């Protein structure tokens, strides 16, 4: 059998995913070294917010599919007529090199909660060469992830900042000059995630490692140089994205409070381009109520945000803020024909009169039937609604 034709025998999507998982486990550099592949020059496989070397993935997938050794780098060629075509036939997205090289957009997809990572392991896993990874706040080049490295007990020769993790809440003092404050505050509006690496003391883990705690969301901050931040552990199902700190009322802080409120609105309104696309698709009207007051209109994901690829207009709805909340809770769902499924809990409210979703004029901008089906199946279930109703009655 011709060597080039062997690569074309990769017909199992599952085998490709096994190769992707192996790459995640080993890290890009070790994965390429193990199988003798050079970094991709022309095409990358995009999956779960990450870029993968397309030719190496196909070569290793061959070994997984046929329970044999992976194809050698010299045994087949890459490019549009080979690996790109193979991967696209299996439903994957393949992107031409855009000059940014290899990058990781959403790093959390490749990390395991509660696993301990040293900085050297992270360097290898994500192909990082920048020395700034040694800082407390780090963003890999080309990514949409902001990394926080937090140590509770500080060495005596370092500033004694008060940083602690209490359950799902992180209390953290920012950098003395505040250079990264705005980036952290605006992370959701910019479509970026914050992920936390935490340890109680420097030598708690071998190699001065950190335990990976997962994704966190900005809640609030006070003061400056350094600012005192509060972050909350991220939850897909949580609608309590912003928790309030109980503080005494200070008339002098009204302007600051107004700015904080506007900031919260901007974060809730979603990623700028995603929201702009939805505003255009729905002519600046809430898809359920027809409300045209722009400050109340929010970009709602049907399927939760998973990186830039999920910021597609067909995975979104333009909704008034209260409708967005009800949709996220699963108290409102949408059938394929646009009819609304209103939870009986809302029977005695003004929401009971809502009946249909107003679809965009452009067919390409209509919400995905698959995404809406996912929302009905996973979020707006009878069980979830019953549990939520019980909680609401207890309030």
């Amino acid at each position: 059998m011709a060597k080039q034709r062997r690569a074309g025998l990769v017909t199992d999507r599952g085998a490709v995913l096994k190769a992707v998982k192996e790459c995640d486990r080993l890290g890009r550099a070790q994965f390429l070294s193990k199988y003798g592949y050079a970094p991709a020059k022309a095409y990358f496989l995009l999956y779960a917010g990450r870029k993968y070397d397309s030719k190496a993935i196909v070569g290793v997938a061959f070994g997984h599919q046929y329970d044999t050794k992976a194809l050698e780098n010299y045994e087949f060629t890459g490019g549009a007529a080979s690996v790109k075509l193979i991967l696209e036939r299996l439903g994957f997205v393949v992107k031409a090199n855009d000059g940014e090289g290899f990058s990781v957009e959403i790093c959390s997809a490749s990390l395991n909660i509660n696993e301990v990572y040293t900085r050297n392991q992270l360097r290898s896993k994500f192909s990082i060469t920048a020395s700034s990874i040694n800082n407390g706040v780090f963003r890999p080049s080309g990514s949409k992830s902001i990394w926080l490295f937090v140590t509770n007990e500080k060495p005596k020769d370092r500033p004694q900042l008060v940083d602690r993790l209490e359950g799902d809440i992180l209390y953290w003092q920012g950098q003395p000059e505040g250079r990264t404050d705005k980036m952290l505050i605006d992370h959701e509006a910019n479509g970026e995630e914050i992920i936390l690496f935490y340890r109680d003391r420097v030598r708690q883990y071998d190699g001065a490692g950190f335990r990976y705690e997962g994704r966190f969301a900005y809640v609030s901050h006070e003061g400056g140089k350094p600012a005192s931040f509060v972050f909350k552990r991220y939850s897909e199902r949580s609608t309590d994205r912003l928790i309030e700190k109980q503080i005494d009322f200070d008339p002098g802080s009204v302007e600051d409070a107004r700015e904080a409120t506007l900031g919260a609105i901007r974060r809730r309104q979603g990623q700028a381009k995603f929201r702009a696309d939805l505003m255009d698709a729905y002519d600046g009207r809430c898809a359920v109520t027809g409300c045209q007051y722009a400050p109340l209109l929010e970009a709602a994901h049907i399927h939760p945000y998973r990186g830039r690829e999920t910021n597609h207009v067909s995975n979104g709805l333009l909704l008034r803020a209260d409708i967005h909340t009800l949709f996220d809770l699963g108290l409102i769902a949408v059938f394929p024909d646009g009819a609304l499924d209103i939870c009986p809990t809302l029977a005695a409210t003004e929401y009971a009169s809502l009946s249909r979703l107003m679809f965009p004029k452009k067919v390409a901008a209509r919400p995905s039937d698959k995404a809406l089906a996912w929302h009905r199946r996973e979020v707006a279930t009878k069980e979830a609604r019953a549990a939520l109703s019980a909680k609401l009655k207890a309030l």
Side-chain angles (χ1 to χ4, degrees), residues 333-336 341 369 371-382:
V334 184
F335 290 111
D341 175 16
D369 287 345
L372 291 174
W374 177 91
H375 180 264
R376 295 194 304 273
R377 183 178 67 250
E378 301 294 335
V379 180
T381 65
K382 290 182 179 180

Side-chain angles (χ1 to χ4, degrees), residues 11-32:
T11 57
D12 182 0
R13 180 180 172 87
V16 174
L17 292 177
K18 285 182 179 179
V20 166
K21 185 175 181 180
E22 184 178 2
C23 183
D24 287 341
R25 178 174 56 83
L26 295 176
R28 184 199 188 202
Q30 188 174 343
F31 180 77
L32 294 177

Side-chain angles (χ1 to χ4, degrees), residues 168-185:
D168 291 337
I169 304 298
L170 172 68
Y171 299 94
W172 179 80
Q173 286 190 278
Q175 296 181 325
E177 296 303 316
R179 293 188 181 93
T180 61
D181 288 0
K182 190 175 190 305
M183 176 177 70
L184 294 167
I185 293 166

Side-chain angles (χ1 to χ4, degrees), residues 311-324:
N311 275 347
H312 192 283
V313 68
S314 64
N315 186 42
L317 296 170
L318 187 68
L319 300 177
R320 197 174 68 193
D322 57 333
I323 304 299
H324 186 180

Side-chain angles (χ1 to χ4, degrees), residues 218-288:
Y218 165 82
V219 174
S220 65
H221 74 284
E222 292 180 341
K225 295 186 177 182
S228 296
F229 282 86
V230 178
F231 298 94
K232 185 180 180 184
R233 194 182 303 274
Y234 181 87
S235 171
E236 292 289 0
R237 293 292 181 89
S238 172
T239 57
D240 183 23
R241 302 302 302 279
L242 299 172
I243 63 175
E244 298 179 355
K245 292 191 67 179
Q246 299 301 315
I247 57 176
D248 293 332
F249 175 71
D250 175 8
S253 69
V254 170
E255 188 60 36
D256 288 342
R258 183 180 293 114
E259 287 302 314
T261 300
L262 291 174
I265 290 172
R266 287 192 292 270
R267 290 190 295 276
R268 181 67 166 152
Q269 284 177 338
Q271 293 78 16
K273 185 178 185 304
F274 181 50
R275 182 171 182 270
D277 290 344
L278 288 170
M279 289 287 285
D280 180 65
Y282 289 90
D283 294 326
R285 298 172 182 267
C286 169
V288 171

Side-chain angles (χ1 to χ4, degrees), residues 79-216:
S82 179
V83 298
K84 182 175 185 292
L85 183 61
I86 291 167
L87 292 169
E88 289 180 339
R89 283 175 175 172
L90 294 175
F92 291 101
V93 176
V94 180
K95 181 180 180 181
N97 190 345
D98 54 10
E100 295 181 358
F102 181 86
S103 65
V104 179
E105 292 189 349
I106 301 299
C107 300
S108 61
S110 302
L111 296 166
N112 298 317
I113 301 290
N114 292 327
E115 187 166 333
V116 174
Y117 298 93
T118 66
R119 281 189 167 99
N120 282 338
Q121 288 172 330
L122 293 170
R123 285 188 181 95
S124 175
K125 188 175 186 67
F126 293 100
S127 302
I128 293 169
T129 58
S131 61
S132 53
I133 191 176
N134 293 317
N135 296 338
V137 182
F138 173 68
R139 180 166 57 184
S141 176
S143 82
K144 302 294 283 185
S145 298
I146 303 168
W147 299 7
L148 291 184
F149 291 97
V150 177
T151 303
N152 185 6
E153 297 180 8
K154 306 295 188 296
K156 293 181 179 180
D157 62 339
R158 303 299 296 274
Q160 297 302 299
L161 303 177
V162 180
D163 301 330
R164 67 188 188 278
L165 178 63
E166 295 183 358
D168 291 337
I169 304 298
L170 172 68
Y171 299 94
W172 179 80
Q173 286 190 278
Q175 296 181 325
E177 296 303 316
R179 293 188 181 93
T180 61
D181 288 0
K182 190 175 190 305
M183 176 177 70
L184 294 167
I185 293 166
D186 294 339
H187 77 99
E188 287 189 310
N190 294 331
E192 296 173 331
E193 65 172 8
I194 293 175
I195 61 177
L196 174 63
F197 298 91
Y198 186 84
R199 63 191 178 190
D200 291 322
R201 55 192 180 281
V202 173
R203 299 301 174 188
Q204 182 177 5
Y205 303 110
D206 291 343
F210 293 80
R211 184 179 66 250
Y212 174 59
E213 291 286 345
R215 298 170 64 187
F216 279 68

